[in-house]
Amino acid sequence: MHRTPCKRSTTFNKITEKNVFLKLENLQKTGSFKIRGAMNKVSQLSEAECAKGLIAASAGNHAQGVAFSGKARNVPVTIFMPLGTPVSKVNATKGYGATVKLIGQNFDEAYIAAREEQLRTGATFIHPFDDMAVIEGQATVAMEMLQQRPELDTIVVPAGGGGLLAGTLLAVKSIRPDIRVIGVQSRNASAIAFAYKGNGLLPFLGKSIAEGINVKTPGNLTMNIIQALVDDVITVSEQEIASAILFTLEREKTLIEGAAAAAVAAVLNNRIPESSQNVGIIVSGGNIDVSKLVECQQLSTSMPLAK
């Protein structure tokens, strides 16, 4: 995997009055952190487990990670993806040699279909988040951050099924328990935040511009880790996510997807504690259809200028 940059952002620093560092996983192979967990899992499979191929469900980034990993081992891969998955993610997954089946309105419906297919074929299922090998692979993002920016006091992490957040927690709290870890979800897909603290949140509205974290049911493993170790889980609006995508493109010249923008939005809109001064944001991926920028412009009425 690439050791991605953890870039200091002067623009973010001025707006937030904090030292902000962007962990640019949008520059990772396949355009997302997801390849870390997929590769860690697939590399550990026996030949017998690979014999009937691999199968997965994904909103896009895990799909590319599994497809890439399967190709590296010369194992056939089938991916179930929701109907609304960005074309760029579908084409990239096919480009790595995987068979793609589009089914369902969201990740959870695609997941059910993939599980049914797995039972019929006997293929090995590669879960996008509720697997310890996958979680441990995602933990390497945070471990790199601790090496690159040891001054960090807070790490902000987008969360859907919880694999990246759980991995970050395992890495950070075992090495630097003093560092605050904050998960961020879309208000339209806030199952983890709902489970963590309730507060009248609706756990799943079913539609989000952040399709990568538009997950109705987080993992059991991930939730056990999150409940035990996380410092907070917060939510941001669809408008704030859209604004963060446009802001990062215009001011940082970096195109990010909605899941990554959720974490960015939390910092830009002052949702993290005032005491956090050295803040790392995991920019989880950059796989977004350029056509979605029109939707972002429609959702965003103003740029998020904090303070």
Side-chain angles (χ1 to χ4, degrees):
M1 302 299 98
H2 296 316
R3 182 181 174 90
T4 55
C6 196
K7 173 183 176 290
R8 185 168 184 164
S9 172
T10 302
T11 301
F12 277 65
N13 292 356
K14 288 180 179 178
I15 291 173
T16 64
E17 298 180 11
K18 300 178 186 295
N19 296 316
V20 178
F21 304 92
L22 305 175
K23 180 61 169 167
L24 297 176
E25 284 294 292
N26 58 307
L27 302 181
Q28 184 56 265
K29 287 183 179 180
T30 71
S32 162
F33 77 96
K34 283 283 192 177
I35 192 172
R36 296 174 182 262
M39 185 66 82
N40 194 49
K41 175 65 176 181
V42 173
S43 67
Q44 296 178 30
L45 295 176
S46 66
E47 291 301 319
E49 289 172 309
C50 293
K52 294 185 178 180
L54 309 179
I55 193 167
S58 171
N61 289 335
H62 178 64
Q64 293 177 65
V66 175
F68 183 98
S69 303
K71 185 176 182 180
R73 289 200 61 176
N74 197 30
V75 178
V77 174
T78 301
I79 307 289
F80 283 72
M81 306 171 84
L83 290 167
T85 301
V87 174
S88 60
K89 293 183 177 181
V90 174
N91 290 340
T93 303
K94 291 179 179 178
Y96 291 121
T99 298
V100 174
K101 297 186 178 183
L102 297 174
I103 188 167
Q105 298 303 312
N106 52 54
F107 164 78
D108 296 87
E109 292 180 7
Y111 175 84
I112 291 171
R115 280 297 195 184
E116 291 173 349
E117 179 81 358
Q118 187 260 334
L119 289 174
R120 285 194 295 269
T121 64
T124 295
F125 191 84
I126 310 298
H127 202 286
F129 46 82
D130 209 29
D131 183 294
M132 191 53 70
V134 172
I135 293 169
E136 289 169 347
Q138 319 306 24
T140 61
V141 179
M143 296 188 74
E144 286 181 12
M145 294 177 75
L146 297 181
Q147 294 171 348
Q148 293 165 313
R149 300 293 180 179
E151 67 269 37
L152 291 176
D153 59 51
T154 303
I155 298 179
V156 183
V157 189
L164 179 60
L165 179 55
T168 301
L169 286 164
L170 289 178
V172 171
K173 296 302 183 179
S174 63
I175 301 171
R176 289 281 305 280
D178 57 300
I179 294 178
R180 181 185 286 119
V181 177
I182 298 173
V184 184
Q185 296 204 282
S186 165
R187 204 164 293 155
N188 282 8
S190 56
I192 292 175
F194 181 82
Y196 180 67
K197 59 184 180 183
N199 290 344
L201 290 168
L202 294 173
F204 191 69
L205 297 180
K207 180 174 174 56
S208 175
I209 196 170
E211 78 283 338
I213 54 173
N214 189 24
V215 177
K216 182 178 182 180
T217 307
N220 293 324
L221 274 175
T222 57
M223 278 307 304
N224 287 339
I225 295 167
I226 292 165
Q227 291 278 24
L229 297 175
V230 79
D231 292 284
D232 200 4
V233 183
I234 60 179
T235 63
V236 291
S237 70
E238 291 295 300
Q239 181 186 40
E240 289 168 336
I241 293 171
S243 293
I245 291 172
L246 296 176
F247 179 87
T248 307
L249 179 59
E250 291 184 1
R251 301 296 289 273
E252 291 290 326
K253 311 308 176 189
T254 299
L255 184 61
I256 64 175
E257 62 188 81
V264 171
V267 176
L268 284 175
N269 290 281
N270 294 318
R271 301 297 171 77
I272 64 173
E274 186 68 28
S275 59
S276 296
Q277 288 301 307
N278 295 302
V279 181
I281 304 174
I282 298 183
V283 182
S284 55
N287 295 318
I288 181 173
D289 280 346
V290 175
S291 61
K292 269 204 169 183
L293 295 178
V294 175
E295 183 181 353
C296 290
Q297 290 174 321
Q298 294 170 344
L299 279 170
S300 173
T301 58
S302 62
M303 299 309 295
L305 298 178
K307 297 187 178 179

